Amino acid sequence: NADVTSNAGAEIFTDQKLNALLASGEPVFVHMTAACCITCLVNERTALSTDAVREVFAGKRIAYLKGDWTNRNPEITRLLEKFGRSGVPLYVFYPGGSDSEPVVLPQILTPETVLSAVAQSTSNQTPPNQTTPNQSTPDQSTEENAHVASNLH
């Protein structure tokens, strides 16, 4: 079903693609779904397809992989089993970096749930000598800080 396997910004899940992204240290959001999964479809429409979530994924350069388990793809079955699941939905956020652990999100999502998981998992990823967008350096003007803050919303 084309509606299940395609979503703006999402790539089709494969083990190979996930492993390559993880090996490169990129953050990855994995979304496992199926055509018969009503919860999956609701989560996609009410949380994952929102502008807020899409903007954060784009801004933080989070790869978005979506797997369709409608026909019981064995690669997806192995991933479900790895996280102790016997079916979909399954949402896993890999923050990126070699020492970060994947974060399993709840089966019922809100935009806030997704954004919170991403924020908490990526907040520790900034090297100590760098600033994050909401931190200012001593030479930044108030006007620049206001501009940065307005871009965060």
Side-chain angles (χ1 to χ4, degrees), residues 85-123:
R85 297 282 174 85
S86 58
V88 293
L90 174 66
Y91 307 100
V92 183
F93 177 61
Y94 296 85
S98 59
D99 60 345
S100 60
E101 292 293 319
V103 177
V104 178
L105 281 73
Q107 291 186 333
I108 302 201
L109 298 179
T110 64
E112 294 77 20
T113 306
V114 177
L115 297 174
S116 175
V118 169
Q120 289 176 3
S121 299
T122 58
S123 64

Side-chain angles (χ1 to χ4, degrees), residues 3-137:
D3 291 337
V4 176
T5 56
S6 65
N7 188 41
E11 295 181 63
I12 295 172
F13 170 86
T14 65
D15 279 335
Q16 183 178 4
K17 191 172 292 184
L18 175 61
N19 292 334
L21 289 165
L22 295 176
S24 71
E26 290 188 46
V28 182
F29 186 87
V30 175
H31 165 193
M32 293 302 168
T33 187
C36 61
C37 176
I38 300 303
T39 302
C40 302
L41 298 172
V42 170
N43 285 336
E44 188 168 340
R45 289 194 178 109
T46 62
L48 298 174
S49 293
T50 62
D51 289 343
V53 170
R54 287 182 182 184
E55 287 171 15
V56 167
F57 281 16
K60 292 187 177 283
R61 304 178 72 105
I62 297 170
Y64 181 18
L65 299 181
K66 184 176 176 181
D68 181 359
W69 199 54
T70 301
N71 297 318
R72 302 299 191 255
N73 176 318
E75 285 185 302
I76 295 171
T77 302
R78 284 191 295 276
L79 188 74
L80 291 170
E81 290 170 349
K82 176 180 176 180
F83 289 100
R85 297 282 174 85
S86 58
V88 293
L90 174 66
Y91 307 100
V92 183
F93 177 61
Y94 296 85
S98 59
D99 60 345
S100 60
E101 292 293 319
V103 177
V104 178
L105 281 73
Q107 291 186 333
I108 302 201
L109 298 179
T110 64
E112 294 77 20
T113 306
V114 177
L115 297 174
S116 175
V118 169
Q120 289 176 3
S121 299
T122 58
S123 64
N124 299 328
Q125 300 294 316
T126 303
N129 61 345
Q130 293 186 357
T131 59
T132 57
N134 60 353
Q135 294 174 329
S136 62
T137 56

